[in-house]
Amino acid sequence: MEDIPDAPGQDKNAGLPPLLIEAVGYAENRHWEVAPGTWLIDGDGSARCSCGDPRCALPGAHPMDADWARKASAGPGAVRRWWTERPRASILLPTGRSFDVLDVPETAGCLALARMERMDLQLGPVVVLPSSPGRVGRRLHFLVLPGVAAKLPEMLRKLGWPPGRLDLVARGEGDWTVAPPSRIGSTGYAQWARSPSESNRWLPDAAELISPLAYACGRDAPAQLQAAQPAGV
């Protein structure tokens, strides 16, 4: 069947900036609050952050102002206006609202992800983030039900891991993750390891994921920390 030119609703996003399309989609389809972040400015030498700080620790991946969390919105109209005005702004998803994030190194995250799939655990979306200044390697952000940030130290202690032993971080109220396809630093773009879909609309409880994540982070830890790994994890 031939395409009908100018059919109602056809190619409604044609010509729109990709970040605008995705940001509005997160608000409309997932009802996630979003906020515009900084962006990268290319020029002579390496790209620089739009915040203007030459030593920016998170180039293209942080809020534009201190009041960002209050301004974040799931209203498609507001989101569309923001990215119409700033089409290159990164997409920030506040944590501690619709979801929290479990943040782990990529190697450990991939190991845990494969194990979780074999165990047939319920999984939510998972973001892959490029490495940032001062940290080695990419990160995986597992989206889980909110509330884990305050509970994580005790959850790990019950598994036998004292504080600070694992490179496993919970991001909750007042924090954020950067959503695809935002460009971050000089190393690439945020991507989905597991994209948002109807099958993962209902997010998992972090308690179901902590054990395989802790196990994977323990295996991925430096040798001196592996010696302290609890038996049977």
Side-chain angles (χ1 to χ4, degrees), residues 80 111 164-165:
R80 187 174 288 105
L111 174 65
R165 284 287 186 176

Side-chain angles (χ1 to χ4, degrees), residues 19-214:
L19 287 163
L20 183 154
I21 295 170
E22 295 300 323
V24 171
Y26 296 141
E28 282 187 332
N29 301 328
R30 302 295 288 208
H31 307 294
W32 288 342
E33 293 184 21
V34 300
T38 55
W39 60 93
L40 291 174
I41 300 173
D42 293 303
D44 295 335
S46 59
R48 63 187 188 279
C49 186
S50 63
C51 71
D53 183 353
R55 295 182 298 276
C56 179
L58 293 171
H62 65 86
M64 289 190 290
D65 57 63
D67 204 24
W68 73 276
R70 185 185 65 81
K71 296 176 181 176
S73 174
V79 175
R80 187 174 288 105
R81 183 177 69 255
W82 291 335
W83 270 271
T84 298
E85 295 170 351
R86 299 181 178 90
R88 291 189 294 165
S90 58
I91 304 171
L92 306 185
L93 304 178
T95 50
R97 300 183 184 184
S98 298
F99 55 82
D100 279 1
V101 157
L102 293 172
D103 174 353
V104 299
E106 180 185 29
T107 302
C110 290
L111 174 65
L113 193 55
R115 191 177 186 207
M116 292 172 190
E117 290 172 343
R118 289 195 302 270
M119 296 167 66
D120 200 27
L121 292 180
Q122 177 188 354
L123 292 169
V126 181
V127 187
V128 185
L129 295 176
S131 58
S132 56
R135 303 197 77 164
V136 177
R138 304 198 300 178
R139 310 288 296 185
L140 261 62
H141 283 189
F142 290 75
L143 274 59
V144 297
L145 291 173
V148 67
K151 302 174 184 176
L152 182 61
E154 178 64 14
M155 296 170 79
L156 292 176
R157 187 192 66 78
K158 288 182 177 179
L159 291 173
W161 292 103
R165 284 287 186 176
L166 299 178
D167 189 3
L168 170 55
V169 179
R171 300 187 179 276
E173 184 65 33
D175 211 333
W176 68 89
T177 187
V178 185
S182 304
R183 182 183 173 199
I184 301 175
S186 60
T187 56
Y189 295 78
Q191 305 172 56
W192 289 112
R194 287 179 61 91
S195 302
S197 67
E198 286 302 315
S199 64
N200 61 27
R201 182 171 291 275
W202 302 104
L203 298 178
D205 190 316
E208 301 173 9
L209 310 187
I210 287 296
S211 181
L213 282 171

